[in-house]
Amino acid sequence: MESYQVERLKINYKTLEEFTKFHEYGLPELSMLDDLQANMIENDSLSPFYGIYRDGQLAARISLYRVDAKYDRYFHPAQDHYEIWKLEVLPQYRGQGLGQALVAYAKSLGLPIKTNARRRSDPFWVKMGFVPVHYDPARDRGESPYVWLPAGAELRD
Amino acid sequence: MESYQVERLKINYKTLEEFTKFHEYGLPELSMLDDLQANMIENDSLSPFYGIYRDGQLAARISLYRVDAKYDRYFHPAQDHYEIWKLEVLPQYRGQGLGQALVAYAKSLGLPIKTNARRRSDPFWVKMGFVPVHYDPARDRGESPYVWLPAGAELRD
């Protein structure tokens, strides 16, 4: 597999323009644009997004949100972990391992990871070493949660 | 607009077979199947899903999860509300108002509703009378929350 450079994305007009090409575009992105326009955040502030550029454009992205231990509902003992959102590869760059490279980057951070396997993406997450949790309707509310556990981390019962 | 009959779906092998046709199929559905096979729930138990049948098959579905006031993070004062998940219409039945009928049914229950506007579905939710909330990264974690407020209900600041 080719190795790709994963970069933390900075919030600026160029990045926000790149984001408009992705299917998952909503309040998180609009909120960044509002904050930038209102000078509530500085240009080039760090975003929760990481990405891979190809041919001079953002080809794939992932949102890695660090969840504080006090909000942990998945691991034992409760601990800081990452939640993966908005993993998306532009259509013309699919099948080249970019999604895998982004998830490998997330795992390299060494904390447990929780994600929601949407739209029948379960085989992808299993290939990446994730496992399904026991579905709890009150906690998971329609999600299909998958987690990745680094050495020593355990699932909550 | 044609009027459609919205039915609460019962958990049985027929319903679970219908669910396999939908793109959003994951742990919630597999969990129902497991519970049924293990006799942990009775055949024809009530599910959190509602649907519309056309031509003898499930053509559209919605998951309406009732969230207890103590878990409310959106409304003021904190109150019981519904969370909409997995609103999906099979491709051959799109453009006929089935999605609108399911959301209208949810609104008829009289409680506030929260949903996540995914994949650029914002115009649909706006047409249905929903409004975007102010995005809060710690609460919303990458979602695009939209809410519907019945008379007298208010958003939390």
Side-chain angles (χ1 to χ4, degrees), chain B residues 134-155:
Chain B
H134 180 77
Y135 179 72
D136 172 345
R139 176 187 65 182
D140 302 322
R141 295 185 202 169
E143 288 196 356
S144 293
Y146 274 67
V147 298
W148 176 76
L149 299 161
E154 288 177 24
L155 268 177

Side-chain angles (χ1 to χ4, degrees), chain A residues 31-104:
Chain A
S31 166
M32 286 181 198
L33 185 58
D34 280 350
D35 289 350
L36 199 58
Q37 287 173 333
N39 292 313
M40 287 179 60
I41 53 169
E42 293 204 30
N43 196 45
D44 292 337
S45 300
L46 292 178
S47 81
F49 286 93
Y50 295 75
I52 297 172
Y53 285 87
R54 303 296 282 169
D55 313 322
Q57 70 168 330
L58 185 64
R61 69 171 194 178
I62 193 171
S63 181
L64 282 180
Y65 192 83
R66 186 168 175 147
V67 179
D68 192 274
K70 72 181 170 199
Y71 296 118
D72 178 7
R73 296 168 300 159
Y74 290 94
F75 305 102
H76 176 78
Q79 56 202 286
D80 282 19
H81 61 278
Y82 283 101
E83 187 149 351
I84 288 181
W85 291 92
K86 291 176 183 263
L87 172 59
E88 188 175 342
V89 180
L90 293 184
Q92 64 271 39
Y93 295 102
R94 288 183 194 158
Q96 300 171 29
L98 276 69
Q100 290 181 60
L102 288 172
V103 176

Side-chain angles (χ1 to χ4, degrees), chain A residues 20 22-28 31 65 67 71 83 85-86 118-120 133 135 137-138 141-145, chain B residues 20 22-28 31 65 67 71 83 85-86 118-120 132-133 135 137-138 141-145:
Chain A
T20 62
F22 288 78
H23 212 99
E24 286 293 344
Y25 182 90
L27 295 189
S31 166
Y65 192 83
V67 179
Y71 296 118
E83 187 149 351
W85 291 92
K86 291 176 183 263
R118 285 170 30 189
R119 298 178 72 77
R120 299 176 180 272
V133 304
Y135 179 72
R141 295 184 203 171
E143 289 197 354
S144 293
Chain B
T20 62
F22 288 77
H23 212 98
E24 286 292 346
Y25 182 90
L27 296 188
S31 166
Y65 192 84
V67 180
Y71 296 119
E83 187 148 353
W85 290 93
K86 293 177 184 263
R118 285 170 29 188
R119 299 179 70 80
R120 299 178 178 272
V133 305
Y135 179 72
R141 295 185 202 169
E143 288 196 356
S144 293

